[in-house]
Amino acid sequence: MNLYEELCKDYRFREGLHTCINCGTCTAICPAAEFYRYDPRRIVDIVQRKNEDEIEALLKSDTIWYCGECMSCSTRCPRTNTPGLVIMALRAMSIRHGFFTASEKGRQVYPLTKLLTGNILNYGYCVYPETFKWEDHQESGPVFKWHLEHLKDDFERIGANYQGTGPGVLRRIPQEDRDELKAIFDETGATDQINLVERCSKAKAEEMGMTLEEYGKYTFEYNSGNDFDK
Amino acid sequence: MIYQGKQKIWADYQKEIPDDHWYYVRSCIRQNFFPGSEKMFTKITRDDLGLDMHENAHHTTCGGIAYHCDTIPQETVMTIVARQFALMTEAGYENYCCSCITSFGNYIETLESWHEFPELEARIREHLWKSCKREFNKPKYIAHTSDVIYKHRNEIAEKAKFRLVDKNTGEPLRGVEHIGCHYNKMFPSKGVGGAEYPYVLCGMIESWGGQVIDYPERRHCCGYGFRQYHIKANRGYSFANTHKKFESMEPYHPDFILTNCPGCPYFLDRWQYVTAETEGKTYGRNGCGIPVFTYEELASLVLGYDPWDIGLQMHQVAVEPFLDRIGIEYDPGAKYLGVNKKDLGRPSLPEHMVCF
Amino acid sequence: MKETVVIIGGGIAAIEAARQLLSLGYSPLIVERSNSLGGHVAQWHRLFPDMTPAQDLVRQMISSISQAEICLGTEVASLNRLKDGYSVVLSNGRNVVCRAVLIATGFDLFDARKKEEYGYGIYNQVMTNRDLEQWFNTGNDPRVRNPKSIGFVHCVGSRDLKAGNSQCSKVCCVTAIKQAIEMKERFPAAQIYCFYMDLRLFGKKYEDFYINAQKDFDIHFIRGRVSQVDETIDGGVVVKAEDTLSGKPLKVSLDLLVLMSGMVCNAGSASIAGMIRADVDTDGFLRSKDNVYNIVESNRPGIFFAGACTGTKTVPETISEARSAALSIHNYLKG
Amino acid sequence: MIDFGFKKAKSSTVNLDEVDMRLYYAVAEIEPDIKRCMECGSCTAACTSGPFNGMSLRQVIHGLQRGTDVRPMISGCMLCGKCSMVCPRGINTRHLLLTISRIYSK
């Protein structure tokens, strides 16, 4: 099976791309097209040309990682395509083939996976106070620094059920429910994907002369400045 | 701007919203950054509106953020969604109501994909059975929590102690609304008012006495972008998008911003702070920012709840000038106190943006 | 006594067919819903490629059918198949029996309000191609106030699956260029932009129009379909498209925006078709017996088509088709 | 000023309100045929140097219309004149390029 055929198996791709007429309504209002060197119309056009070498180059490039998945493109396309869904299918394939470590933006999959799947499996949330570190999030402002320093008291003041039992804001999600999430991860390929991302990233880290931990921090923070037209 | 033209579109996109008996699920981001909003949603719907708003302690994240950061496969997120539906089914509910816009989009996308590809639904049912031994019925109806507040906006207006009016001049306060992209951009007919001129928040502002103002970049994304924010190296994208919106709304001098998405109020609030601290620029009056509210916060304020009970102290942009204009009373000294007036210290003040 | 042929519709297709049927010895009866003849063309100002005044053409055409019977302000209440012809009941109560009926119900201009993102009917400075032609005719439209910058949006409601119309409306490209030139003549200082996907300039001298627009009128063509229009604080609009030839998002502030609304099948055509169970084609227009060889005939005996009820047409195409339909009717009746 | 560890991204949007087209009009004054360009790309397709150094006359003309600096691209032209043979609008492209260079050098 070649790359294009594999792409066609992804439901998001089947919903996301019927036929493109290169009109540019997607790019015109795409937040990423304005602030990155990025043009969703071109990506869709490359894919619909079905050239394997071009698709592989795309999967190894920074380009596919610029989209913010806001799906604004979906509203406007006169051919009912959603370039954002095409991007999601391309990203999934880039990960499956281990191509993501070939680009600066693709390598960020590692810290993202560690953070988000870690939060889901450990806490049952995608975002959780314990892993929202002030030093990584200075933009959250002094008020949030203060909040993070007084989590229990502050949540109690506002009426959250932080780490409590029963329902409510930021309750502790029971172990049995987190076990079910883990079972879902195992059943549906998420666990395999996590392992794959770790394996590929480890190999890349070694190649770059870093430990996996250093690599995680580096990919989280490093910006070469190549995102933009100069 | 021809107001009647918008009214026609609003009339075209009136979605049916059930009266009662909701199964409620929470939002990861809102619980972290706007815990007061979720608390107030259940309180207002149950105590003020008398609705049956059921919450099950066993529900989890829908996985939407991890999915849109491309860290879990589509079948994984769909199976998590299926598990949420199973909990709803077990609790005997059919009307599903979620606090998060990413979730809302995720649920709608899942149901639409299952409709389009029934074999996918069959596979997800199998995954759920194998992993959790659960089965589910699909919800009859999926609403976002802002839909529920929208439906009851006039009832809230009747019970309101305050209106969105300047107490000194009697003029309505000017609000801009910001809709989360996944509320209506993927499936315009699923949102009140459609994708181009959404009415879900406009309706609340109008009903509570304020004036809605439009500005050129109203429809533009706040710039969350999932991986574009969670990765520090990419945050320049997120910042730039919000900044673009503020530059566009600045000449209209809005008094407040109303949002219905989990991330947007955080970004619209915090990127104002970053703009102030990196460029020395503020967009509100007297060196303050423009306060950004969730619809629950605004509903709570007009209903007369204490600003610190609903968690407005967690905003970086100061809300006090807004409260003063309406005439909402508050104790400035109590802002950062804990339960039983416990002293928790206070946040340091930003250098450039005026905060209290 | 001359044989009656009922013509449904009163636009240029109907008028020309009536003229030909008169000369072939028939007694055409025109049934027109509105209170005047000439349809869309009568509301236009000038016609490409020679800038012919539309109203002169329509007047001249109408004067040629003084012998025809014309029922204005009249609709077809029912149309029933008889053994050897049709019974046509008109809204004025009259019942006409004839062997041949010509459907010349034309098109509707796409309702530009449906493209919500363009803000027609919401933003003050957005108008349609028809509004602009009317301004050319009457000089009366508050939106046209010495504009310094004007934009023309091609493909509004055409080639758009979301709007329910996949077809190209054919005439909008050249109409946009014609209108852009006419505006430049009136407002020489204005900067004028056309936003297009493809320029479909297939007709006689259309390409010359395009070259003139570029060279002599300095009209700028931007290859990118307009994605969104917003109203600015000064009451103008800002238009967003992709500058696809550089691959970057593009925006421009304009004092006036003209939407080139396309053609869609007339709602009346569909209802007439329903009365005789004539087919509607996949593009939403009425289905001809054959889209290559036999456009003017339907799948029902004695029912004929002329003009835009079967698809988007230019004025000359419509006129030739009307002649062709008259000849087909003649051959059928003589049969 | 605080360093947050990232910088606000710059907009790449072409804003026609701010585009400086003086150079384009200066060229058009001497070579009015530039206005006839319909950006079909025949010139670029036929270009001898394009495949090696990215030269594209179509992009040069487009760049002039968008107010960007096209000097780096023009320097890739070898003046072979193949483009003038293929232009369907009959533009004397070789002459046009020389004019653009001349105006730049002024």
Side-chain angles (χ1 to χ4, degrees), chain D residues 58-90:
Chain D
R58 180 188 71 72
Q59 285 180 41
V60 166
I61 296 175
H62 192 82
L64 287 174
Q65 291 174 350
R66 300 290 181 265
T68 55
D69 185 3
V70 297
R71 272 173 294 188
M73 197 175 268
I74 294 186
S75 65
C77 173
M78 304 297 164
L79 288 173
C80 72
K82 261 167 84 182
C83 45
S84 48
M85 290 160 65
V86 295
C87 177
R89 284 284 176 85

Side-chain angles (χ1 to χ4, degrees), chain C residues 207 214 218 243 249 251 253, chain D residues 14 17 25 37 62 66 89:
Chain C
E207 190 74 9
Q214 289 177 290
D218 197 34
D243 189 17
K251 65 177 180 182
S253 309
Chain D
V14 176
D17 301 348
Y25 284 117
C37 171
H62 192 82
R66 300 290 181 265
R89 284 284 176 85

